[in-house]
């Protein structure tokens, strides 16, 4: 059951490429059986727009998200015999406005949003994954005595925001858990005991209500040697009985399934032998959404899909 729970398109995300339909068509071509469409929710302050969105307004973002939902459901019906499409969203947590906005979207669009990918992209209102200079700006917002204390304060703020999101919305998928170390992948959270406590708290909270933690292949294209999350976070999730699902976090058809050929080796190296995926359910989950996690049968890494991914690499 090849799957991904996290994707974007240039049609509805200005730093991505291609149309949503092109993304779906590429997922079908590659043999995905379950594919999640999860554009970003709108943001609510003009200052939070990215440079490529400078020609847009806050109202434009809201209309863009509504258009995404309509198009995603059209594609879900059109391609129903070829692929199981799930219609979700990826959260933002910049200020309280974003959390209130997400709450409003989920209430207004009940029945039209299958699930939530719970992600944090900002600390103290500053993007942490846009570029290195902006990440440094986020760090510099903390006035501490030395670099280590700044790093610790930054990490604590990130994981506190993540905890708030997890508690409040119970996202079915926890997105790129350790994005906070995007620009320093060798950073060891265990060097910061208070940060480590917050990580364990967040994992326990998500495990308690049944979240899936994504193994996100996008980290490979960010020059990591691992997927998100790194092995240390995987170990904590395993310790508390957490469950894993796959995501490509594609930003256009060119990135559908990108670096999936590297996932089997990583999964084996960290001892992940079970994978889960989301499936529509007649019974609402704890968050009130009609979706449930289903475990893949047997050895998921022997599926013919993976042989195809290795063949693609050999021929490239």
């Amino acid at each position: 059951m090849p799957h991904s729970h996290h994707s974007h398109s240039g049609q509805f995300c200005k730093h991505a490429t291609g149309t949503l339909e092109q993304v779906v068509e590429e997922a079908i071509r590659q043999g995905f059986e379950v594919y999640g469409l999860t554009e970003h929710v709108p943001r609510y302050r003009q200052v939070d727009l990215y440079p490529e969105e400078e020609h847009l307004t806050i109202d434009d973002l809201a209309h863009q998200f509504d258009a995404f939902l309509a198009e995603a459901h059209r594609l879900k019906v059109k391609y129903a015999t070829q692929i199981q499409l799930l219609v979700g969203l990826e959260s933002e947590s910049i200020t309280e406005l974003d959390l209130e906005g997400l709450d409003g979207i989920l209430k207004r669009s009940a029945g039209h949003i299958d699930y939530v990918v719970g992600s944090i992209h900002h600390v103290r209102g500053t993007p942490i994954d846009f570029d290195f200079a902006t990440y440094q700006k986020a760090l510099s917002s903390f006035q501490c005595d030395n670099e280590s204390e700044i790093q610790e304060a930054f990490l604590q703020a990130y994981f506190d925001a993540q905890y708030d999101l997890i508690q409040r919305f119970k996202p079915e998928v926890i997105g790129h858990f350790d994005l906070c170390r995007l620009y320093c992948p060798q950073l060891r959270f265990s060097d910061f005991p208070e940060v480590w406590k917050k990580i364990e708290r967040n994992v326990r909270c998500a495990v308690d209500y049944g979240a899936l933690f994504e193994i996100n292949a996008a980290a490979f294209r960010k020059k990591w040697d691992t997927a998100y999350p790194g092995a240390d976070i995987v170990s904590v999730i395993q310790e508390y009985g957490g469950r894993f699902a796959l995501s490509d976090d594609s930003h256009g058809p060119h990135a559908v399934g990108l670096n999936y050929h590297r996932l089997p080796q990583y999964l084996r190296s960290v001892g992940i032998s079970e994978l889960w995926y989301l499936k529509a359910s007649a019974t609402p989950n704890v968050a009130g959404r009609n979706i449930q996690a289903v475990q893949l049968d047997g050895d998921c890494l022997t599926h013919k899909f993976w042989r195809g991914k290795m063949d693609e690499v050999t021929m490239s």
Side-chain angles (χ1 to χ4, degrees):
M1 179 66 75
H3 64 266
S4 173
H5 292 88
H6 184 169
S7 67
H8 303 279
S9 71
Q11 187 174 358
F12 301 110
C13 174
K14 299 309 179 188
H15 58 271
T17 62
T19 67
L20 194 63
E21 187 158 12
Q22 288 170 335
V23 168
V24 171
E25 290 172 340
E26 180 60 20
I28 293 170
R29 186 193 71 79
Q30 291 190 28
F32 280 90
E33 296 173 14
V34 175
Y35 204 81
L37 308 177
T38 56
E39 300 291 7
H40 293 282
V41 292
R43 278 146 287 134
Y44 298 94
R45 302 185 306 171
Q46 199 72 27
V47 69
D48 294 325
L49 271 61
Y50 292 99
E52 66 270 15
E53 298 172 323
E54 60 183 8
H55 61 290
L56 300 177
T57 66
I58 296 303
D59 286 343
D60 290 334
L61 292 185
H63 295 318
Q64 178 177 272
F65 185 77
D66 290 342
F68 154 66
L69 289 181
E71 176 66 354
H73 280 283
R74 182 186 76 83
L75 298 174
K76 186 175 184 177
V77 173
K78 178 178 179 179
Y79 293 101
T81 62
Q82 300 176 67
I83 192 170
Q84 180 185 340
L85 294 177
L86 302 175
V87 181
L89 58 80
E90 185 177 15
S91 68
E92 296 289 359
S93 180
I94 309 170
T95 71
E96 179 62 24
L97 281 175
D98 300 277
L99 301 180
E100 292 174 356
L102 176 56
D103 187 54
I105 287 172
L106 292 173
K107 288 176 178 175
R108 288 194 307 274
S109 303
H112 298 282
I113 294 171
D114 297 326
Y115 71 107
V116 172
V117 176
S119 300
I120 302 296
H121 303 95
H122 297 71
V123 169
R124 283 195 169 179
T126 301
I128 62 172
D129 63 337
F130 180 73
D131 58 25
F132 185 70
T134 311
Y135 162 74
Q136 291 279 45
K137 180 181 177 182
L139 282 176
S140 67
S141 70
F142 295 90
Q143 302 299 316
C144 301
D145 292 336
N146 56 60
E147 185 176 335
S148 177
E149 290 183 3
I150 290 173
Q151 186 69 259
E152 180 169 18
F154 167 81
L155 295 173
Q156 289 202 43
Y158 174 88
F159 287 114
D160 280 343
Q162 186 183 70
Y163 182 61
D164 189 25
L165 184 72
I166 289 171
Q167 273 198 311
R168 187 162 173 175
F169 296 101
K170 295 179 172 55
E172 286 80 4
V173 176
I174 308 301
H176 37 61
F177 189 99
D178 53 352
L179 184 72
C180 53
R181 60 178 172 188
L182 169 61
Y183 295 107
C184 46
Q186 303 309 314
L187 183 147
R188 297 185 306 179
F189 293 124
S190 59
D191 288 342
F192 305 96
E194 294 305 311
V195 171
W196 193 253
K197 290 177 184 178
K198 292 178 185 293
I199 289 171
E200 291 183 314
R201 173 199 63 188
N202 294 9
V203 169
R204 286 196 306 270
C205 183
V207 169
D208 284 348
Y209 71 80
L212 301 180
F213 296 83
E214 69 172 9
I215 300 294
N216 185 322
F220 292 119
R221 63 179 166 84
K222 300 291 187 177
K223 310 306 180 186
W224 279 33
D225 294 328
T226 73
Y228 303 116
D232 53 348
I233 298 298
V234 169
S235 179
V236 177
I237 296 169
Q238 290 169 321
E239 178 183 350
Y240 288 103
R243 305 175 297 179
F244 299 93
L246 302 183
S247 293
D248 60 18
D249 198 353
S250 61
H251 278 61
H254 69 285
V256 171
L258 185 63
N259 287 312
Y260 258 42
H261 69 282
R262 299 181 64 176
L263 288 178
Q265 180 180 353
Y266 181 59
L267 293 171
R268 291 188 180 102
S269 74
V270 294
I272 295 176
S273 58
E274 296 178 354
L275 289 175
W276 297 69
Y277 66 97
L278 292 177
K279 182 179 180 180
S281 170
T283 304
N285 63 16
V286 67
R289 293 180 283 271
N290 290 85
I291 200 86
Q292 65 175 340
V294 179
Q295 184 179 347
L296 285 165
D297 293 329
D299 185 352
C300 53
L301 299 183
T302 63
H303 193 284
K304 63 182 181 180
F305 172 84
W306 299 108
R307 294 195 296 274
K309 298 307 285 181
M310 294 308 297
D311 289 343
E312 288 178 13
V313 175
T314 302
M315 292 184 294
S316 63

